[in-house]
Amino acid sequence: MALEDSLAAAMAAAQGGDAAAYRRLLDACLPVIAGIARAQGVRGEAVDDVVQDTLLTIHRARASYDPARPFLPWLRAITRCRAIDRLRRAGRRPREVHDPSAYEAHADAGPAPGHGIEARQRNAELARAVAALPAGQRQAVEQLAYAERSLEDAAALTGRSKGALKVNLHRALKALRETLSRDKDAGDV
């Protein structure tokens, strides 16, 4: 008797109340379920979990099996679903890997040596460039960019219109770009 026929007959008998046939069915299904789980990509101890989940599902869904249809496709469908569920659960958990050489080869996520010096130099250059701006442009940069005030608040503090502040900020940014790019180009030479 072929595996398909014996499993289908055992399931039909189990549906009829034959406990011994049900035990034989579940025992015969173990290697089939494990093979299907491995084919789905489940590895190691997770295969046993898929087998257990599949057996529980078979137990709960045994009444839904139609004895007039083949048993193995029904079993494969259940097992594939349980394998996919297991793979999804495993994919959500972070996995720790002990790899001492990874610490040596991994670049430090912190700032590079000298980063603070470069940042201070850039800030000093920017402060000098802002100080060299005409008063209206400098005031717009200080209020809108440095102090991060809204146009309404900056207009109220300075006594200037919102439109004038916008124009001065635009002109200041353009002048700062030109000045800082010129200073950078002079430093590259």
Side-chain angles (χ1 to χ4, degrees):
M1 184 183 259
L3 178 64
E4 170 66 45
D5 295 334
S6 67
L7 291 175
M11 184 58 153
Q15 285 177 322
D18 187 345
Y22 191 48
R23 274 193 297 279
R24 282 194 310 274
L25 170 74
L26 295 180
D27 285 340
C29 286
L30 293 175
V32 176
I33 295 169
I36 296 168
R38 284 189 196 94
Q40 287 292 115
V42 179
R43 299 288 175 251
E45 296 173 1
V47 172
D48 294 335
D49 294 339
V50 172
V51 169
Q52 290 300 317
D53 290 344
T54 303
L55 291 176
L56 286 170
T57 304
I58 290 170
H59 181 70
R60 284 189 217 114
R62 68 185 181 273
S64 69
Y65 171 69
D66 179 2
R69 303 192 67 156
F71 179 79
L72 283 175
W74 185 77
L75 178 63
R76 277 191 205 99
I78 293 171
T79 305
R80 284 185 184 137
C81 289
R82 295 303 143 245
I84 289 168
D85 290 346
R86 177 64 187 170
L87 290 170
R88 285 180 181 154
R89 281 193 306 269
R92 290 185 195 131
R93 276 189 232 129
R95 296 183 194 131
E96 279 190 37
V97 176
H98 178 69
D99 187 7
S101 63
Y103 291 109
E104 298 167 8
H106 184 65
D108 188 7
H115 173 74
I117 295 169
E118 292 171 3
R120 284 191 295 276
Q121 288 174 342
R122 282 193 309 270
N123 289 341
E125 289 172 19
L126 180 61
R128 281 192 300 274
V130 169
L133 291 171
Q137 293 177 12
R138 185 176 58 249
Q139 192 177 42
V141 169
E142 289 170 350
Q143 295 298 317
L144 297 172
Y146 285 164
E148 296 182 2
R149 290 194 171 91
S150 67
L151 274 171
E152 292 83 15
D153 293 344
L157 283 171
T158 62
R160 305 180 74 196
S161 72
K162 290 192 253 181
L165 284 170
K166 283 184 190 180
V167 168
N168 282 323
L169 181 63
H170 259 319
R171 290 178 180 166
L173 293 176
K174 182 179 178 186
L176 289 172
R177 264 192 235 91
E178 290 172 2
T179 301
L180 294 174
S181 68
R182 190 173 43 242
D183 290 350
K184 183 181 175 193
D185 292 342
D188 289 344
V189 175

